[in-house]
Amino acid sequence: MKITAISIFPEYFSPLELSLIGKARSQSLIVFKSINLRDFTTDNHHSVDDTPYGGGAGMVMMAEPWGQAIDSILEKDGEIDLIILTPAGSKFNQKKAEQLSGAKHLVFACGRYEGIDARVGDYYRDRKSVRVHEISIGDYVVNGGEVAALVIIEAVTRLIPGVIGNPASLDEESHNEIGALEYPTFTKPATWRDLNVPEVLLSGNHGEIQKWRQEEAKRRSELGQ
Ligand code: 6GU
């Protein structure tokens, strides 16, 4: 999978050199590139924002630098999924992660300030070669789309075959098909600061262990923990 992030802070994506994603990149399972939006400006100040029409606080990112940056990607790659990060987008979830994990090239438009001129999404939505997704990562506001893009990249890439060492761990974990949260887990020692591991997990009775885990997962999802 190809992933391109467009941002005025391309350095924000350096954690993608680490851990599982770093390894997947070295194996070319993922080809990641971040590009600087300011490289697509034409004025001396490399401006990317201006005041909002209709008034109000803050600044809005101008459409043209985004248009130039996205067109430069489309010149090299005929078909993309364009993800516009915005707190007004549809809420990201595991189902969306699964849907995006089949894409060939994900392009993340990471806005700052009060967001990107709305015509950018409209323009590319009308193009056959572009699927536009406006996505939020939750009901809160962060300073820009970069951390939201990192969340989505991590959730999506771990679903690509070969990225996770043990694919069985994908089945049992939280927010699987059933939607139940994962059961609590423990490792050695059996007693830590007077707290004991539940007896059933030490019993060796796999039927009872499975039953206990299902009940705990159900209890946790009901509690919303
Ligand atoms: Cl995608 N961007 C920003 N700035 N804040 C958010 C968000 C995105 N999703 C939730 N809050």
Side-chain angles (χ1 to χ4, degrees):
M1 176 188 281
K2 273 202 254 182
I3 301 174
T4 306
I6 312 168
S7 165
I8 56 168
F9 298 118
E11 303 87 352
Y12 233 107
F13 296 93
S14 50
L16 297 179
E17 287 161 24
L18 307 174
S19 189
L20 291 173
I21 296 177
K23 188 158 171 244
R25 287 173 72 182
S26 70
Q27 298 169 333
S28 299
L29 291 170
I30 302 165
V31 177
F32 175 82
K33 196 175 157 198
S34 61
I35 63 178
N36 194 334
L37 182 70
R38 290 194 198 278
D39 292 346
F40 298 89
T41 55
T42 47
D43 64 313
N44 286 337
H45 293 102
H46 301 287
S47 314
V48 292
D49 61 337
D50 208 331
T51 54
Y53 276 120
M59 300 292 271
V60 175
M61 295 190 107
M62 296 185 292
E64 186 53 15
W66 289 103
Q68 292 296 332
I70 296 163
D71 284 351
S72 80
I73 293 165
L74 286 171
E75 272 164 28
K76 292 179 219 132
D77 212 341
E79 211 176 303
I80 63 168
D81 282 79
L82 175 64
I83 297 162
I84 300 177
L85 286 323
T86 163
S90 62
K91 198 98 53 74
F92 186 64
N93 58 22
Q94 192 65 26
K95 189 167 159 243
K96 190 75 181 175
E98 277 160 21
Q99 186 197 330
L100 294 175
S101 71
K104 286 221 292 270
H105 190 173
L106 298 180
V107 176
F108 290 87
C110 304
R112 289 251 143 193
Y113 315 112
E114 304 304 314
I116 301 171
D117 188 309
R119 290 170 292 184
V120 174
D122 295 339
Y123 178 83
Y124 289 102
R125 230 187 306 275
D126 282 345
R127 304 267 299 250
K128 263 216 302 283
S129 54
V130 183
R131 276 177 298 272
V132 176
H133 314 258
E134 290 196 294
I135 299 181
S136 156
I137 55 163
D139 294 332
Y140 44 82
V141 176
V142 295
N143 288 336
E146 288 80 3
V147 288
L150 285 169
V151 167
I152 296 169
I153 290 167
E154 190 150 316
V156 168
T157 54
R158 63 197 299 287
L159 301 177
I160 297 171
V163 172
I164 294 263
N166 174 15
S169 60
L170 290 174
D171 298 330
E172 285 190 27
E173 68 196 15
S174 297
H175 302 293
N176 55 15
E177 290 88 76
I178 311 141
L181 298 174
E182 208 177 338
Y183 48 78
T185 53
F186 306 88
T187 186
K188 291 173 270 301
T191 301
W192 176 74
R193 299 190 180 179
D194 290 338
L195 297 172
N196 297 320
V197 169
E199 203 69 44
V200 60
L201 299 180
L202 310 175
S203 70
N205 184 334
H206 293 292
E208 284 299 311
I209 291 170
Q210 204 188 0
K211 203 172 117 210
W212 181 87
R213 283 178 168 168
Q214 280 168 1
E215 281 162 9
E216 284 295 311
K218 186 161 170 277
R219 198 173 63 83
R220 273 194 177 191
S221 52
E222 279 163 5
L223 288 171
Q225 281 178 8

